[in-house]
Amino acid sequence: MFSDTISQLFEQHGYLIFYLAFSLGPFGVPVPNEITILTGGVLSNTGALDPWITYICILSGLLTAITLSYCTGRIFGVKLINRFQHKRHFQRAEEILKQRGDWAMCIGVFIPVVRYILPLFIGLSGVKFRKFALLSYLSVLFWTITFFTAGKYFGVHLLDSLRIFSF
């Protein structure tokens, strides 16, 4: 199962694996964050990991990822807009940001792929870093605390229920 893979990677690379799992998301590294954070919580609960170090690695990795995604949007905004402005999904994302920008920044963290793509669009749209950081970082803090705590206290049961659905 995936939790066994994370355990093996942790044994080889230490806490760095949690940081990398979350920080490399926007760069096409397909790591299921929800399972990773739950596993980190479970391993912290068993005593295999220090819960504070694990949580800090996860939080800092996700903050790094969304900040880099936002900065990419700000720096390469004109080139990206020119390249994608006629694509239907790009137009829809722009429309959602214009209508519900603040809420989109807060809720986007809770949606798996969107948490990495939305900061790019926020950077493209010209939102000031201060506003982006305030809304997105608080949302990331809430998301990571929620999932890490769930993993720490209920993770064994959650992972067991996932095994039922795996083939």
Side-chain angles (χ1 to χ4, degrees):
M1 174 99 181
F2 190 74
S3 59
D4 298 329
T5 304
I6 292 174
S7 297
Q8 291 172 354
L9 286 170
F10 176 74
E11 288 175 12
Q12 294 172 1
H13 304 287
Y15 293 99
L16 180 64
I17 197 66
F18 287 102
Y19 176 80
L20 292 175
F22 284 89
S23 64
L24 296 177
F27 305 105
V29 178
V31 178
N33 293 150
E34 286 76 9
I35 301 297
T36 305
I37 196 168
L38 288 172
T39 302
V42 169
L43 292 173
S44 295
N45 191 40
T46 63
L49 302 177
D50 181 278
W52 289 105
I53 296 173
T54 305
Y55 177 75
I56 294 300
C57 289
I58 290 168
L59 177 65
S60 60
L62 191 52
L63 290 175
T64 299
I66 66 169
T67 302
L68 288 174
S69 185
Y70 170 85
C71 291
T72 301
R74 291 291 289 191
I75 293 168
F76 300 108
V78 175
K79 291 179 183 178
L80 291 172
I81 288 173
N82 290 337
R83 184 173 181 176
F84 296 112
Q85 68 185 353
H86 300 296
K87 305 262 186 211
R88 181 174 49 99
H89 296 296
F90 183 82
Q91 292 170 349
R92 180 71 179 134
E94 270 189 323
E95 183 181 316
I96 290 171
L97 271 177
K98 286 179 184 174
Q99 291 174 351
R100 298 178 181 91
D102 293 350
W103 283 107
M105 281 190 268
C106 293
I107 294 172
V109 170
F110 294 88
I111 304 168
V113 174
V114 174
R115 83 175 53 99
Y116 291 120
I117 296 172
L118 188 63
L120 178 73
F121 283 106
I122 294 169
L124 286 171
S125 69
V127 171
K128 300 286 183 204
F129 181 77
R130 180 180 289 190
K131 182 176 182 179
F132 162 77
L134 177 68
L135 295 173
S136 296
Y137 290 6
L138 286 174
S139 297
V140 165
L141 183 67
F142 182 71
W143 182 83
T144 54
I145 287 173
T146 302
F147 271 80
F148 190 78
T149 303
K152 188 161 172 50
Y153 296 106
F154 308 110
V156 173
H157 304 294
L158 292 171
L159 292 174
D160 285 341
S161 66
L162 286 175
R163 284 190 182 114
I164 293 170
F165 297 110
S166 64
F167 300 105

